[in-house]
Amino acid sequence: MRRPNVLITGTPGVGKTTLGKELASRAGLSYINVGDLAKEGELYEGFDEEYDCPILDEDRVIDELEDRMREGGVVVDYHGCDFFPERWFHIVFVLRTDNSFLYDRLESRGYTGKKLQDNIQCEIFQTLYEEAMESYKKEIVHQLPSNTPEDLERNLDQIMQWIEQWMKDNN
Ligand code: DAT
């Protein structure tokens, strides 16, 4: 049985992990958090002093995931999307959160100063949406509001329906 690969992307704090894990559980797909995968496998190629975070070794991340992606049925969660092979994903969702909500979420995560401001700007400039539109066919890129628990439920229902339809069409 063929199953789709779903990419969930967006600025840190928009709700990718919350949605991605619940979606994978409801749809019986597997869930991969690329940030966690990199941490576990130390898939880094240096350290960014300005942003105070390790630099992802994108080639090693791709090597690590290739076999699982080829099998299908994977929900991938990451705050970047331009380095994955385009062929991996059947649909891409960019979660969007209003500033006031995002600010509170990032602050309660302990973000302050430049890190907090940069992430808020990333959302204002819709950086991830543009990155997704440039990296994948526009028809497969969808923005979803991610402000409230009601948004989360609606997004889950909508994506579940899409997955069911994809399975009917492709099996
Ligand atoms: P991300 O994985 O994009 O960094 P997350 O899933 O860790 O984001 O969520 C960040 C915080 O926001 C977390 O405390 C859960 C909360 N949250 C996520 N989606 C939400 C939604 N739709 N409504 C309200 N809160 C949400």
Side-chain angles (χ1 to χ4, degrees):
M1 172 110 83
R2 286 191 72 209
R3 294 178 312 160
N5 290 326
V6 178
L7 176 60
I8 312 282
T9 190
T11 307
V14 293
K16 300 181 293 298
T17 302
T18 308
L19 175 74
K21 281 187 174 165
E22 184 59 24
L23 175 69
S25 147
R26 289 193 195 182
L29 304 180
S30 55
Y31 166 81
I32 294 175
N33 182 311
V34 172
D36 291 348
L37 180 91
K39 207 179 206 174
E40 283 155 21
E42 292 186 30
L43 307 175
Y44 300 127
E45 57 171 9
F47 194 83
D48 188 324
E49 300 292 345
E50 188 187 350
Y51 291 97
D52 190 33
C53 64
I55 300 165
L56 198 69
D57 186 333
E58 298 174 349
D59 292 339
R60 283 175 64 210
V61 168
I62 290 168
D63 286 349
E64 186 75 26
L65 290 178
E66 184 66 61
D67 289 350
R68 294 175 72 180
M69 299 308 292
R70 198 175 301 135
E71 249 175 59
V74 184
V75 176
V76 172
D77 160 355
Y78 195 56
H79 59 262
C81 62
D82 59 356
F83 66 94
F84 300 121
E86 189 185 347
R87 64 186 155 77
W88 274 6
F89 296 106
H90 301 99
I91 195 156
V92 176
F93 294 102
V94 184
L95 301 188
R96 301 301 307 272
T97 300
D98 294 345
N99 280 329
S100 51
F101 290 105
L102 188 62
Y103 194 96
D104 291 347
R105 289 184 202 170
L106 292 175
E107 215 177 23
S108 56
R109 194 180 265 188
Y111 285 21
T112 53
K114 179 171 166 52
K115 192 167 182 177
L116 179 57
Q117 292 308 329
D118 284 350
N119 280 293
I120 294 291
Q121 277 207 2
C122 174
E123 186 60 9
I124 292 173
F125 292 143
Q126 46 184 28
T127 309
L128 266 303
Y129 178 61
E130 281 174 16
E131 188 175 318
M133 291 290 273
E134 280 163 20
S135 307
Y136 301 91
K137 288 206 185 77
K138 292 186 175 42
E139 309 87 83
I140 73 158
V141 177
H142 305 275
Q143 295 195 83
L144 295 173
S146 181
N147 296 308
T148 63
E150 291 73 29
D151 287 339
L152 172 65
E153 234 10 84
R154 200 176 315 115
N155 294 339
L156 283 164
D157 286 346
Q158 212 175 313
I159 304 174
M160 287 296 289
Q161 278 183 26
W162 180 88
I163 291 174
E164 278 166 28
Q165 191 59 49
W166 190 95
M167 305 261 280
K168 278 188 199 145
D169 294 344
N170 288 274
N171 287 292

